[in-house]
Structure formats: C-alpha cells, structure tokens
C-alpha cells in the first residue's frame, strides 16, 4: 500500500518556531508590541492599540478646528443676512419695492398677510399655553379637558380653540392636502416616465439621423443647386447689449450666399439703438452678406406681430424654410447644415428644433439653478416627446420651420404672449411632425437677475393658460387621433402648465405651514422629504455637475411657485398682466471662443494698416449720427435692488411655522420650514442674483 501524502494535518498544526521575543522601548511615544512567532507581526492589529495620548489629542483638536470653522462660516453668513435685512428692510438703502400692477397679485399678498398675522397670534397663544404646561396640542389624539379641569378664562379659550381646530379647520386642510398630494403623485409619475424614456433613448441611441450627404451634387455644371432657399429672421427690440454678436454669428453661417436671406427685424423704439443696428447691418452688407434691415412704424403684437409683418413680404414666397433666432442667440457656422437636411424626403416634417446652451450658466447661483431646469426641459421633456410623439412646444428660437407648415397652420397670431407655443399647437393639429436635435446646440443667455427671471417666468406661465382657453375648442373638434387630443389637454396643458404650479404653491407654501398650527392635518414624511428629493434628483440627472446644488434647487423651485401660481391664475382668468410682454434683460455675455476670435481680430487690425474705402454720403451721415448718439448716451444707472413683498411675507410665515414645529419636536419639519423660509427671505431681498460662483 502506498504511503499517504496528505500533509494537511501536519500543516494545520500550530507549530511555533523559535522562542517568543518581547521588544520593549523606553521612549513613551512608541507602543509595546509582542511578537509571537514569525507571522504574528503581519496579523491585523486593532486601530486603537497604535495610538497614544498625543495622537488622540491632535485628532480631537483637528475635529474641533473643523467644527469651529463651520460654525464661524454659518455665523458669518447669518450676520451678513441680518445686516442685509437691516439695510434693505429697515433703512431701505438702495432698494425699491416691486410694484404690483395686477389686482390679483395684491389680493394674494393680502391673503398671505392675513395668514401671517393669524399664525403669529396663534404662535404667541400656544407658546403661552406651552409655558403654562398645557401640552394638549403635542398629540394628534387630542384630549379635551372636562369642565372641572379648566383653569381660568385663558385656559377655557385655549380648550375652545382646540375643539374648533379639530372639528372645523383640520377636516378642510386634510381634504385640500389629500387633493394636492394626489396631484403631486400624478405629476411625479409623469416626471418618472419622462426620465425612463430619456434613459431608453440613451440606451438605444435613438436620435434623428441624416442618410448620406444631402448636399452632394453629381451635376458639375450646376453646383449647389441642392441647397434649398433659407430665410433667417432675427427679431429684436432694444437689444443694445447683444445685437452685434447675434448678427455676427448668423452672418457667418455656412450656406451659399445666393440661397440665404437674413432679415434683421428691429422693433426698437430707441433711435440710438436703431442707428447701431443699421450700422451693423450695413457693415455685413458691404462684406457681401445678403442681409436687410426692417423696422415697423406700428409696433403691435410684440414678437408675433414682428414676425407676421416680415412673413408678409413678397420675396418670402421664393423661400422654402425659415430659421428664427432671438437677439441673444449665437448659432454655430454649421447650424443650417445640421438642421435643414432633416427636411429632405420627409414631407410631413414641419419643425426642426435645436437645443439651447448657456454662456453664463456659472455666473451666479440663480443662473446655475436655471441651467438645471432648462437642461431637464431640453434633454428629457423635449427629447422624449420629440422621439416618441413627434410633438413638443416650439421654443420660439433656434429652430427651422417649413414655411408651408406655418402658412397652413394660420401663420403667426398676436392673441397671446406665447406665439411660439401657439403656432406649434396649431401645426400639430394640422398633422405636422416635429423633431428635436439634442446634439445641435445654440449659445444664448439666461437672466442673471431675479427681476428679469421673474418677468420671464410670468410670461412663460401665464401665456400657456391663456392659450389653453383659446385652443381647447379647436383641440376637441380637430381630426387628430384621440390619444393625441388627450396628450395635449391632460399632459401638455393641464398637468405640466396648470397642476404643477398649483400644487407646488398650495402644498408647500400654504398647507405645510398651516399643518404646524393644525397637527391633526399633518403631512406624511414622504410628501415633505422623500418624494421631493427624488424628483429633484431626477431633475439634476442631465447636469451631474449640479448635484451640490440639489438642496438650493429644491427650495428655490418651491419659492418660484409663488410667481408661477400668480402667472397661471392671471392667464387662466385673462387678467391684465397676462397680455404684458417685457423683453428679458440681457448682459451681452460671449462664449470663450467668441472672446478669443475677437482678440485675434483686434490683433490683426493693429498689425495691419487700415484700408480706407469709399463711402456714400448716406453712410457718412449715418456714422456721424452714430458718434453723436454715443457721445450723448446717458451714463449707466447704479443697480437698485427690489424688495418683493409676497416672498417676504411667505418667508416670515414659514419661519413662524418653523418656530411652532419646535414646540411639537418635529425635527424634519423644523429644518425644512427654516431653510424654505430663509430661501424666501433671500429671494424677497433680491439676493439670489448675487455673484456666487
């Protein structure tokens, strides 16, 4: 029998080689280690054994230093906020109160003030009850004392308030909160479905494609005949800061000069700006660009009237497509080559929409938060709707229309302030399809001040409700499929334009603070915390670099619900401000490549001798008038911050509710209300547009 070669028992024995060694060192900075065998030094050692008293002291000092630094930073921010409140609210230095042109806006302010005064009175009453030991309001299961337990008139009034609150106020708030929670869940499901659709597009790499080279011609005798005739329109109104860069970018687009016409549609009522734009058009005209200047004497209909007037020209019938760019948009030279070919062999296509990109997205905290919203709008909402439904709202700029689609849909109408959404809905009802190009980006600006952003959002949320009233009969009687009608009415208009601002304002700005004073109607934790954070997380997915701003984004969106709710109400009931058009103020920011190109042109101009060309008398007069206008131009006025009273009133209401939540020991409610109140306070003091990189 062969001998066994199993050495496992022998190897597994705990064999000790050599004698144990003990190393002792007199230096107290080193620990004593006992080596028991050759492998014992490589065994894991407890973390606490290698530390001495000095190391622990240094670690504690470092942690204390960090904690003190954090507390000092918070104290500095708090002190600066108090100083701003003292300066702007008490002494009114360098501020002006934002006027309310709308009667409904004043009514909302009065209602908020009534809520604020009532909450302050209830808070004072319940603090007194808390100090006296009447803790009945700490639990939702109220114990109403009997008559024998009453301890005086004040106690009797407090008990009567508890009974009235439980029997009459709490049921109303509960019904309203449940209704808003249902709307909140429906809108969250819609947002989640859109995100899943975006993930599917990314996974399957779904996007509109161009087959082959659409401009390649085999006929050498007639080169370029496959390039269609394109009309480019640049509507503007008093755009002193951005007119030059937009005209320059459009004139440098790559397209045969005999197949393109650029219309500069100037509605400016400032003669100095008119002369500046005329001079810019004349400069590019001398360079051989086919560009013309148009100015209306009767400026009606705002942007829609401007575009309608330009489309009525006789020469427009010679063109097949029209590209539209607002005054702050700077298309790349290959924009037309990336968009127009999609119309080839696709006769049902009416619109090709490009995505916006922002040159000033990192200018301050306000621009960063806007970038989050707009990136989600383009990459998720419009891309998903374009890929699966072939319909979305036209953005008013950075798009190419088939002129036939505009004409068959009724052209530009002046009935609302959202003429872009109006023409998109009517074209959809006529059977035209849209595509969205997420890869084609056009540079533009976002508002850098809260005042400009607030006016822009008011127009963007009042116009759709006004349009919904006008388009509802046409949608119902149209010949499109039933599911398309349902998508237009319930998703496009009601859910995303009406329900969203309604529940955001009602749930988080009204009901939530009220539940602090009516604990019987307390909102569940997932409504206050979990679902809003999840929805904010989904909104930030298209811009991963914005994740550090998820909390300010959530709080700021709740703050903006006041403006959006007011705008929605004014548009739905056709109040005066729904017809108001305010041109969004621009700063004239340029991209980094534009600045490098400008510097290169300036260096070439300095190195090369100037060539004097002949000019007509009209051009000389134009230049002289331009110089006079520049010399007589007024000096820039110092910026005056605004005070927004509705936001300030809601700030104090939320802060009052946060103090009330402390009495009930509701930690999450306290922090949410506190941070939301501070956000309202910052916005109300017009601090949100300050330089925060």
């Amino acid at each position: 029998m062969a001998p066994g070669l199993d050495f496992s028992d022998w190897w597994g024995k705990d064999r000790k080689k050599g004698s144990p060694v003990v190393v002792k060192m007199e230096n107290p900075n080193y620990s004593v280690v006992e080596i028991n065998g050759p492998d014992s030094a490589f065994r894991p050692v407890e973390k606490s054994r290698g530390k001495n008293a000095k190391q622990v002291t240094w670690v504690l000092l470092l942690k204390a230093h960090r904690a003190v630094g954090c507390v000092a930073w918070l104290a500095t921010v708090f002190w600066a906020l108090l100083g701003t409140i003292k300066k702007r609210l008490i002494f009114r230095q360098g501020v002006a109160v934002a006027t309310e042109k709308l009667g409904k806006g004043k009514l909302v302010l009065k209602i908020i003030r009534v809520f604020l005064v009532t909450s302050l009175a209830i808070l004072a009453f319940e603090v007194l009850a808390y100090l006296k030991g009447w803790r009945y309001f700490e639990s939702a299961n109220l114990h109403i004392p009997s008559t024998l337990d009453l301890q005086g008139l004040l106690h009797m009034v407090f008990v009567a308030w508890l009974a009235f609150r439980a029997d009459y106020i709490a049921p109303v708030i509960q019904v309203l909160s449940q209704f808003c929670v249902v709307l909140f869940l429906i809108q969250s499901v819609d947002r989640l479905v859109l995100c899943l659709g975006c993930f599917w597009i990314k996974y399957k790499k779904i996007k509109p494609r161009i087959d082959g080279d659409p401009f390649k011609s085999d006929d050498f005798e007639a080169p370029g005949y496959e390039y269609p005739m394109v009309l480019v329109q640049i509507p503007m109104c008093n755009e002193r800061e951005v007119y030059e860069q937009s005209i320059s970018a459009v004139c440098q687009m790559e397209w045969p000069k005999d197949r393109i016409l650029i219309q500069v549609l100037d509605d400016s009522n400032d003669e100095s700006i008119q002369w500046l734009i005329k001079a810019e058009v004349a400069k590019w005209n001398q360079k051989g660009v086919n560009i013309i200047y148009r100015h209306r004497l009767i400026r009606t209909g705002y942007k829609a009237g401007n575009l309608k007037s330009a489309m009525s020209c006789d020469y427009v019938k010679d063109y097949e497509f029209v590209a539209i760019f607002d005054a702050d948009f700077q298309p790349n030279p290959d924009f037309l080559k990336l968009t127009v070919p999609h119309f080839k062999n696709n006769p049902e296509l009416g619109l090709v929409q490009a995505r916006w990109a922002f040159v000033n997205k990192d200018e301050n905290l306000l621009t960063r938060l806007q970038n989050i919203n707009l990136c989600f709008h383009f990459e998720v909402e419009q891309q998903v709707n374009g890929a699966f439904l072939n319909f979305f709202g036209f953005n008013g700029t950075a798009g190419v229309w088939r002129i036939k689609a505009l004409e068959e849909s009724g052209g530009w109408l002046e009935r609302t302030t959202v003429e872009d959404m109006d023409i998109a809905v009517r074209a959809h009802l006529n059977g035209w399809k849209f595509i969205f190009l997420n890869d084609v980006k056009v540079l533009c600006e976002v508002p850098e001040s809260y005042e400009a952003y607030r006016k822009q959002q008011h127009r963007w949320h009042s116009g759709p409700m006004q349009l919904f009233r006008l388009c509802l009969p046409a949608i119902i009687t149209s010949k499109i499929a039933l599911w398309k009608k349902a998508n237009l009415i319930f998703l496009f208009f009601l859910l995303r334009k009406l329900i969203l601002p309604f529940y955001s304002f009602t749930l988080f700005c009204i009901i939530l603070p009220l539940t602090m004073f009516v604990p019987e109607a307390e909102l569940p934790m997932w409504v206050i915390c979990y679902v809003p954070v999840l929805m904010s997380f989904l909104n930030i997915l298209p811009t991963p670099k914005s994740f550090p701003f998820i909390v300010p984004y959530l709080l700021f969106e709740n703050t903006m619900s006041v403006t959006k709710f007011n705008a929605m109400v004014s548009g739905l009931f056709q109040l005066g401000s729904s017809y108001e058009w305010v041109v969004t103020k621009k700063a004239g920011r340029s991209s980094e490549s534009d600045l490098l190109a400008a510097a290169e042109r300036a260096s070439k101009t300095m190195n090369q001798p100037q060539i004097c060309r002949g000019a007509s008398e009209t051009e000389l007069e134009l230049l002289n008038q331009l110089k006079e206008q520049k010399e007589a131009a007024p000096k820039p006025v110092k910026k005056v911050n605004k005070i927004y009273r509705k936001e300030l009133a809601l700030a104090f209401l939320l802060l009052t509710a946060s103090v009330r939540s402390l009495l009930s020991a509701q930690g999450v409610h306290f922090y949410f209300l506190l941070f939301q109140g501070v956000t309202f306070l910052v916005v109300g003091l017009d601090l949100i547009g300050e330089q925060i990189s």
Side-chain angles (χ1 to χ4, degrees):
M1 183 175 180
L5 300 177
D6 189 4
F7 299 101
S8 59
D9 294 338
W10 174 79
W11 185 263
K13 292 181 180 179
D14 189 11
R15 299 176 61 87
K16 300 181 180 179
K17 295 182 180 180
S19 58
V21 179
V22 178
V23 180
K24 296 183 178 181
M25 303 186 72
E26 296 180 357
N27 191 344
N29 291 331
Y30 297 89
S31 60
V32 179
V33 180
E34 180 179 347
I35 303 176
N36 189 9
D39 298 330
S40 60
F42 300 98
R43 294 174 185 172
V45 182
E46 296 180 3
K47 294 182 179 179
S48 60
R49 292 187 60 187
K51 295 180 180 178
N52 56 21
K54 288 186 177 180
Q55 289 176 328
V56 174
T57 303
W58 279 110
V59 170
L60 293 177
L61 286 175
L62 181 60
K63 291 183 177 180
H65 180 267
R66 291 178 179 175
V68 170
C70 182
V71 172
W73 180 81
L74 291 175
T76 303
V77 173
F78 181 70
W79 186 258
L81 183 60
L82 289 179
T84 305
I85 294 173
K86 178 181 178 182
K87 177 181 177 181
R88 297 190 180 180
L89 280 184
I90 301 177
F91 296 106
R92 299 291 179 92
Q93 296 179 3
V95 297
V97 178
T99 57
E100 295 286 352
K101 299 181 180 179
L102 176 61
K104 181 66 68 174
K106 293 182 179 179
L107 178 61
V108 172
L109 178 61
K110 291 179 180 179
I111 293 174
I112 295 174
R113 284 178 173 175
V114 170
F115 277 121
L116 175 60
V117 173
T118 305
S119 63
L120 288 173
I122 296 175
L123 177 63
F125 191 56
E126 292 195 350
V127 167
L128 180 61
Y130 183 85
L131 295 176
K132 286 182 173 292
W134 305 335
R135 310 294 175 84
Y136 308 123
F137 55 85
E138 290 183 354
S139 175
N141 301 320
L142 293 177
H143 166 67
I144 305 299
S146 61
T147 308
L148 298 176
D149 298 332
L150 296 181
Q151 304 174 9
L153 179 62
L154 185 61
H155 193 194
M156 181 171 36
V157 173
F158 179 68
V159 172
W161 154 248
L162 293 180
F164 178 79
R165 185 182 73 184
D167 295 337
Y168 299 101
I169 300 179
V172 177
I173 297 179
Q174 286 177 342
V175 171
L176 185 58
S177 63
Q178 291 173 0
F179 177 68
C180 290
V181 168
V182 171
L183 298 181
F184 177 45
L185 292 178
I186 294 174
Q187 197 272 336
S188 300
V189 171
D190 174 65
R191 185 73 44 106
L192 183 60
V193 171
L194 288 174
C195 291
L196 293 176
C198 184
F199 290 147
W200 182 257
I201 290 174
K202 298 291 185 183
Y203 176 70
K204 290 293 185 178
K205 297 181 180 180
I206 302 173
K207 66 177 182 179
R209 303 181 187 275
I210 303 173
D211 297 331
D213 187 359
F215 304 116
K216 187 176 181 180
S217 175
D218 298 329
D219 189 357
F220 295 99
E221 296 180 357
Y225 75 97
E226 291 187 357
Y227 285 88
M229 299 288 287
V230 177
L231 178 68
V232 181
Q233 296 177 334
I234 313 176
M236 58 180 63
C237 180
N238 296 326
E239 307 281 2
R240 182 188 294 272
E241 296 83 6
V242 294
Y243 76 93
E244 186 175 1
Q245 60 193 29
S246 63
I247 295 176
S248 174
V250 170
C251 290
Q252 296 180 57
M253 288 195 301
E254 298 170 355
W255 203 257
K257 294 183 179 180
D258 59 335
R259 312 292 292 179
I260 186 174
L261 173 64
I262 301 172
Q263 288 181 320
V264 178
L265 311 177
D266 182 24
D267 256 6
S268 304
N269 54 7
D270 189 337
E271 291 187 0
S272 63
I273 300 178
Q274 294 178 23
W275 287 114
L276 291 171
I277 298 175
K278 286 180 181 179
E280 185 69 16
V281 171
K283 181 184 74 173
W284 286 101
N285 204 353
Q286 288 183 355
K287 295 181 180 180
V289 177
N290 193 10
I291 182 172
I292 60 174
Y293 173 88
R294 279 181 56 86
H295 179 74
R296 294 190 300 163
L297 297 178
I298 303 177
R299 300 168 57 253
T300 58
Y302 302 111
K303 181 180 176 181
N306 197 1
L307 294 172
K308 181 179 179 180
S309 174
M311 293 298 294
S312 64
C313 298
D314 294 335
Y315 52 79
V316 173
K317 65 179 182 295
D318 298 329
Y319 294 84
E320 187 176 357
F321 305 105
V322 55
I324 303 173
F325 300 99
D326 281 351
D328 60 317
F329 279 71
Q330 308 169 46
N332 291 327
D334 59 349
F335 175 84
L336 293 178
K337 291 186 176 180
L338 295 175
T339 54
V340 175
H342 289 278
F343 290 97
K344 188 176 182 180
N345 301 324
N346 195 356
E348 295 181 350
L349 184 60
L351 168 67
V352 175
Q353 175 69 62
R355 179 177 174 172
W356 299 0
F358 310 105
V359 297
N360 61 338
K361 62 182 179 180
D362 297 326
E363 186 66 24
N364 54 43
L365 181 59
L366 178 61
T367 58
R368 290 176 184 271
L369 300 179
Q370 291 179 73
N371 182 57
I372 296 173
N373 257 343
L374 292 172
C375 285
F376 181 86
H377 171 68
F378 293 124
E379 190 159 346
V380 179
E381 290 182 353
Q382 293 210 315
Q383 186 174 210
V384 171
N385 289 326
F388 296 106
L389 302 178
N390 294 120
F391 168 72
F392 48 83
F394 175 47
N395 298 324
T397 178
V400 182
W401 276 94
R402 191 189 296 271
I403 295 181
K404 182 180 178 181
L406 290 177
E407 294 174 348
E408 290 186 357
S409 303
W412 299 103
L413 298 182
E414 307 169 10
R415 56 183 182 174
T416 67
T417 57
V418 284
E419 73 294 327
D420 44 9
M421 186 181 294
D422 188 0
I423 188 62
V425 171
R426 287 184 281 117
H428 180 60
L429 296 179
N430 281 289
W432 292 98
K433 297 181 178 180
F434 307 159
I435 64 173
F436 179 79
L437 302 180
N438 192 54
D439 297 333
V440 182
K441 300 179 181 180
V442 182
L443 293 175
C444 62
E445 291 185 17
V446 288
E448 297 181 7
S449 66
Y450 178 68
E451 181 183 7
Y453 179 62
R454 186 169 177 260
K455 292 178 180 178
Q456 182 195 67
Q457 291 300 305
H458 187 277
R459 176 165 55 88
W460 284 5
H461 286 81
S462 65
M465 287 296 95
Q466 186 182 3
L467 178 63
F468 177 64
R469 290 174 56 99
L470 298 173
C471 285
L472 184 59
I475 295 173
I476 296 175
T477 58
S478 64
K479 298 180 180 180
I480 61 175
L482 184 61
W483 67 270
K484 291 185 178 181
K485 295 181 182 180
N487 173 67
L488 267 177
I489 295 175
F490 295 108
L491 292 181
F492 186 76
F493 279 112
L494 290 181
L495 183 59
R496 297 167 189 164
K497 303 297 188 298
L498 187 146
I499 291 177
L500 178 59
F502 171 78
Y503 87 75
S504 297
F505 173 74
T506 308
L507 187 62
F508 295 105
C509 299
I510 299 298
I511 294 179
L512 180 58
L514 288 180
T515 56
M516 295 298 99
F517 302 97
V518 186
E520 298 87 351
E522 182 180 353
L523 292 173
M525 188 63 61
W526 57 269
V527 175
I528 301 172
C529 183
Y530 302 142
V531 178
V533 170
L534 176 61
M535 292 299 104
S536 300
F537 177 80
L538 294 178
N539 279 13
I540 293 181
L541 282 180
T543 55
K545 294 182 180 179
S546 301
F547 273 105
F549 301 96
I550 184 171
V551 174
Y553 171 74
L554 173 61
L555 298 174
F556 182 68
E557 280 302 293
N558 292 337
T559 305
M560 283 304 300
S561 64
V562 182
T563 298
K564 296 175 181 179
F565 177 79
N566 273 338
M568 181 268 294
V569 171
S570 66
L572 190 62
F573 296 101
Q574 293 186 334
L575 302 176
S577 66
S578 62
Y579 297 93
E580 182 183 6
W581 179 292
V582 180
V583 178
T584 304
K585 187 178 180 180
K586 283 87 173 181
R589 305 287 181 186
S590 298
S591 63
E592 187 175 350
S593 58
D594 294 335
L595 295 175
L596 292 175
E600 185 178 356
R601 289 195 301 268
S603 63
K604 289 182 179 180
T605 304
M606 293 177 63
N607 295 331
Q608 295 179 359
Q610 295 184 356
I611 301 175
C612 298
R613 298 183 179 180
S616 62
E617 295 181 359
T618 307
E619 293 172 351
L620 291 175
E621 293 178 358
L622 179 63
L623 291 175
N624 291 332
Q625 291 180 359
L626 185 59
K627 290 180 181 179
E628 293 177 358
Q629 292 288 348
K630 286 184 177 181
E631 293 176 356
K635 296 181 180 180
V637 182
K638 185 179 180 181
K639 177 186 175 182
V640 177
N641 294 85
K642 295 293 183 69
I643 290 181
Y644 301 98
R645 293 177 290 183
K646 287 196 294 292
E647 284 79 358
L648 285 177
L650 278 170
F652 294 123
L653 175 62
L654 289 164
L655 292 174
T656 304
S658 68
V659 175
R660 172 62 181 83
S661 65
L662 285 177
L663 301 179
S664 303
Q666 296 173 311
V668 176
H669 295 73
F670 167 72
Y671 288 113
F672 181 85
L673 290 167
L674 177 64
F675 291 138
Q676 187 65 70
V678 172
T679 306
F680 267 104
L681 187 62
V682 169
V683 172
L685 293 174
D686 199 8
L687 294 174
I688 189 65
E690 301 294 337
Q691 298 291 331
I692 304 177
S693 301

